[in-house]
Amino acid sequence: MEVEGADAQPNVQDWDALGSLRAIAAFFIVLAHCHPPRAALQVGDWDLSWLLFAAGGVYLRLFFVLSGYLTGKVFWIGKYELTPGGVWRFWQNRWRRIAPLYYFAVLFLTVLLYTHLLQRENWGYLLQILTFTYNHALPVDFNRALWAVSTEMQFYAIAPFAVALIQKFAATPRRATLAAIAVALAVTLYRGMVMASDLQDDIVTYWYTPLPANLDAFVGGMLLNVWLQHPPRFAPRFRATLAAIGAIGLHLVTAYYIYFVEERNLPGRSADFHSPIGIFGLPLAAVLVFGWVIYSLEAGEAYRQRPAPLSFAACLQNPLRLLEALAQLSYGIYVWHMPVLRQIAFAHPVVASDKPFTLFVGKLGVTLLLSGLLATVTYRAIEQPARAIATRSIPTFPFQN
């Protein structure tokens, strides 16, 4: 997401760290969906396979925290105003960035793979997909990863109202902290109600995918803008060190939990098993850690800086900027990776080997490669042209200034 205010400073960043976080999140989500094998990475007597068990849901929350933060930022720096015209332009911008690829993918995949959605008895399910109310749990087969896009679009619909509430009632760091605690408690209560009722039998639909279950991530990210209006209280090195320790620690803790507590991918083990730590603790920990990572990257002058233009020469000067190129493709990779996995990587052996780890690496590599190629084509053919449409070419009705 580009963030540019009318009063933005001309100085630029050498590296778009926030964009790079999207690339990292996309990689670990794909890694998780490739189902790493158990006991496949042995170093001496040590089983290190658990290090590969990334929590896809945790890294999705990184997307949501980033989305909340950047959505709020465009209002705080003045790119959009909280006026009817400003909010309408914000919605137009979000629509142009998300909807074109989403609808192309739905059309392409429905015609090519999910033709059953065209049958009359499934039109209601197709309507859910087209109206961004898809929640991963349809009784018919589809690209299940698209639930996150639906939840994201639902958040964009309410985002201007959330910004208005924060600026009115939580505009100071102290109030923002109280608001963050209140939202976290409300979401935790919601999760507890789900788990204490019959709804727990459909945990994905009611605990994992809906907007209420993810508001702590979206709103927590948005509230970062309040704290970032004030000078940072910690030295840059301390912020960066704590962010690195937190991010690495979160991955290790969640991977260990998935491998040894949930025992994921263990034959005979229910894939729906969750402990209280997984239900309540890890989702909140992810918001806290990723919130601090974003704060550490954006505190101080960085808040109003923009990354320098991305080019091949810029990547040669700073190889970290290659992550920015991947970040530009991250939306497309996310959209395409599940069909690629199910139709190619899972359906056909991609390497000639009888070793589970080698087969897994081949599956991961093919998925990233083919998803990246599809993402590149659709980025050039669909996303870029849609984003280049001038705002003035889209009617401002129904909100006229």
Side-chain angles (χ1 to χ4, degrees):
M1 178 185 297
E2 296 176 2
V3 286
E4 180 181 4
D7 56 347
Q9 299 299 316
N11 54 336
V12 296
Q13 298 171 322
D14 294 332
W15 173 41
D16 181 9
L18 292 186
S20 300
L21 290 179
R22 295 205 310 271
I24 294 170
F27 169 79
F28 280 110
I29 289 170
V30 175
L31 177 72
H33 287 166
C34 284
H35 297 168
R38 299 180 65 89
L41 185 60
Q42 298 285 147
V43 179
D45 295 332
W46 294 84
D47 178 12
L48 300 183
S49 304
W50 65 276
L51 295 173
L52 301 174
F53 278 62
V58 166
Y59 286 99
L60 263 174
R61 293 177 74 74
L62 172 54
F63 273 128
F64 291 163
V65 176
L66 266 173
S67 180
Y69 168 67
L70 291 172
T71 298
K73 183 174 181 178
V74 295
F75 286 98
W76 257 273
I77 68 173
K79 182 175 182 178
Y80 301 103
E81 297 178 350
L82 283 175
T83 62
V87 170
W88 185 245
R89 285 190 291 272
F90 166 77
W91 282 335
Q92 288 175 337
N93 176 275
R94 293 296 86 204
W95 182 267
R96 291 199 307 273
R97 286 177 175 268
I98 302 298
L101 176 58
Y102 179 88
Y103 283 126
F104 174 80
V106 169
L107 175 63
F108 180 82
L109 293 173
T110 298
V111 172
L112 187 66
L113 299 177
Y114 308 118
T115 55
H116 52 270
L117 287 172
L118 300 176
Q119 299 172 4
R120 179 174 296 181
E121 61 268 26
N122 293 328
W123 284 0
Y125 304 137
L126 183 59
L127 181 63
Q128 280 187 259
I129 295 167
L130 295 175
T131 55
F132 296 104
T133 54
Y134 173 56
N135 62 3
H136 187 287
L138 297 184
V140 294
D141 193 23
F142 188 61
N143 181 2
R144 295 184 176 183
L146 293 188
W147 74 264
V149 183
S150 293
T151 301
E152 187 102 0
M153 289 295 282
Q154 293 167 27
F155 171 70
Y156 290 146
I158 68 170
F161 305 101
V163 171
L165 286 172
I166 291 172
Q167 291 186 350
K168 184 174 179 63
F169 298 107
T172 65
R174 180 176 178 274
R175 290 186 176 183
T177 301
L178 293 175
I181 294 173
V183 172
L185 289 175
V187 173
T188 300
L189 177 62
Y190 169 83
R191 293 189 181 117
M193 292 173 61
V194 169
M195 299 309 297
S197 68
D198 293 340
L199 298 179
Q200 65 175 307
D201 296 332
D202 197 356
I203 192 172
V204 171
T205 301
Y206 297 103
W207 176 86
Y208 185 58
T209 63
L211 180 61
N214 292 285
L215 276 178
D216 53 344
F218 286 118
V219 177
M222 186 173 283
L223 286 166
L224 288 173
N225 289 279
V226 177
W227 292 302
L228 287 167
Q229 305 307 308
H230 301 269
R233 296 184 178 182
F234 305 100
R237 178 173 295 181
F238 174 82
R239 296 197 305 266
T241 301
L242 189 58
I245 292 174
I248 296 172
L250 179 66
H251 176 83
L252 295 177
V253 169
T254 53
Y256 186 91
Y257 168 84
I258 288 172
Y259 194 85
F260 291 104
V261 179
E262 287 190 1
E263 297 182 327
R264 189 170 299 178
N265 298 346
L266 182 68
R269 181 62 154 172
S270 171
D272 294 329
F273 171 78
H274 295 277
S275 74
I277 293 176
I279 293 292
F280 302 107
L282 295 182
L284 288 176
V287 174
L288 289 172
V289 169
F290 293 140
W292 179 261
V293 170
I294 294 170
Y295 178 85
S296 70
L297 294 172
E298 291 283 277
E301 295 181 359
Y303 186 72
R304 293 190 177 274
Q305 290 179 332
R306 292 183 297 152
L310 184 63
S311 65
F312 182 67
C315 291
L316 290 176
Q317 293 177 356
N318 183 4
L320 285 175
R321 303 206 68 185
L322 289 171
L323 286 173
E324 294 180 50
L326 294 176
Q328 291 182 347
L329 302 176
S330 61
Y331 176 36
I333 290 173
Y334 181 80
V335 165
W336 296 116
H337 82 279
M338 284 299 286
V340 169
L341 260 176
R342 297 190 64 183
Q343 300 300 320
I344 299 176
F346 282 160
H348 308 282
V350 295
V351 292
S353 176
D354 58 354
K355 295 183 178 180
F357 181 74
T358 302
L359 293 171
F360 165 72
V361 171
K363 180 168 57 179
L364 175 63
V366 166
T367 303
L368 289 171
L369 176 62
L370 295 182
S371 300
L373 289 175
L374 285 170
T376 301
V377 171
T378 51
Y379 179 78
R380 294 291 188 181
I382 297 173
E383 291 185 74
Q384 277 191 324
R387 295 178 183 185
I389 296 175
T391 303
R392 62 178 179 273
S393 68
I394 302 179
T396 58
F397 178 84
F399 298 121
Q400 296 285 348
N401 287 329

